Amino acid sequence: LYGRHAHRICAGGPRPATHGSRGTFGALTGAAHIDVNQGAVFGDADPGEVSALARFITAAGVPAIVARSRTVADAVVEPLAAAGFRPLPEREILYGTDVLPDAVASPFTVRRIASMADVAALRPIAREIHGYEPELADPLLGLRALADEGVGGWLAWEGDEAVGCAFTTRVGRTLGLWGVMTSVRHQRRGVGSVVVRAALREAASTLPGPFERTVFWASPAGGPFYASL
């Protein structure tokens, strides 16, 4: 399910490509940013599937991060090491929840991206937090959200200043969460909590039936924040 959401978000990249098998997936934007090119090895994947995933990513010529489920044996992922992948020092977290977060009172106003002015307001946040140039941030996030191509985008505002954002994908009656960013000057003020809560609740209202589940991938540092929601 997470892989299907990753395919949806990565479709807005400059050279999108997807890969899938019984126990792997790959979702690449084709941009030179490691966090927007993803793959995973899970379930009962075998070394042949992992080799195919490694070839897929290598052929694309972009940096990528590949998740390995804790259920997958060392021998299965040996093709990743042979292809030049190296383990990260900390385990990242795949979250899934069938509960929507509660709304909270806040000094910030959260609005859906609905104009080119909103897309422009996103650019400095995306550049500051992830180094995304407008040539990537606009088609991957801003313009996709504006067109509502299965991608929703929300900005948190303080007055006339955009201070944070979050993006969602829709697959059936499920949601994915992406691109949660807060301007450095406004961090630790509750912006992330407010924009994530609003984004998920409003995105759920657009699903073709009752909400079923949200899935997303978090860094170790982001784990406590998402658990608190």
Side-chain angles (χ1 to χ4, degrees):
L1 177 60
Y2 176 84
R4 293 171 67 194
H5 282 278
H7 289 171
R8 178 66 52 86
I9 194 74
C10 289
R15 291 183 293 117
T18 61
H19 172 86
S21 69
R22 176 188 58 183
T24 69
F25 80 79
L28 310 179
T29 64
H33 291 270
I34 193 168
D35 54 317
V36 292
N37 299 299
Q38 298 184 0
V41 181
F42 52 88
D44 55 355
D46 61 46
E49 291 177 283
V50 178
S51 292
L53 175 63
R55 290 194 300 271
F56 163 74
I57 295 172
T58 301
V62 294
I65 184 168
V66 176
R68 168 198 170 185
S69 169
R70 75 182 87 191
T71 65
V72 175
D74 291 346
V76 172
V77 295
E78 286 180 359
L80 291 177
F85 285 87
R86 296 292 178 263
L88 291 170
E90 295 182 84
R91 185 175 293 278
E92 303 216 342
I93 306 162
L94 181 64
Y95 276 97
T97 176
D98 57 5
V99 177
L100 290 169
D102 294 330
V104 293
S106 166
F108 308 105
T109 301
V110 178
R111 300 195 300 268
R112 190 166 190 150
I113 290 176
S115 68
M116 284 304 300
D118 292 341
V119 174
L122 166 68
R123 292 170 188 158
I125 301 173
R127 183 183 289 277
E128 179 185 33
I129 301 304
H130 284 307
Y132 294 169
E133 58 277 4
E135 293 77 13
L136 175 61
D138 281 12
L140 181 66
L141 300 173
L143 295 177
R144 296 284 303 294
L146 185 59
D148 194 21
E149 299 174 347
V151 177
W154 285 262
L155 290 170
W157 297 84
E158 185 171 49
D160 59 359
E161 180 185 5
V163 297
C165 60
F167 294 82
T168 60
T169 46
R170 299 191 306 270
V171 173
R173 292 187 290 167
T174 67
L175 299 173
L177 180 64
W178 310 88
V180 179
M181 296 176 267
T182 300
S183 177
V184 171
R185 191 163 63 88
H186 296 280
Q187 290 179 357
R188 301 189 182 280
R189 298 183 61 207
V191 175
S193 174
V194 169
V195 74
V196 167
R197 291 171 188 271
L200 290 177
R201 292 178 65 85
E202 293 187 31
S205 71
T206 70
L207 296 174
F211 162 79
E212 290 181 350
R213 196 162 188 80
T214 298
V215 291
F216 56 97
W217 185 346
S219 68
F225 164 69
Y226 291 111
S228 73
L229 300 183

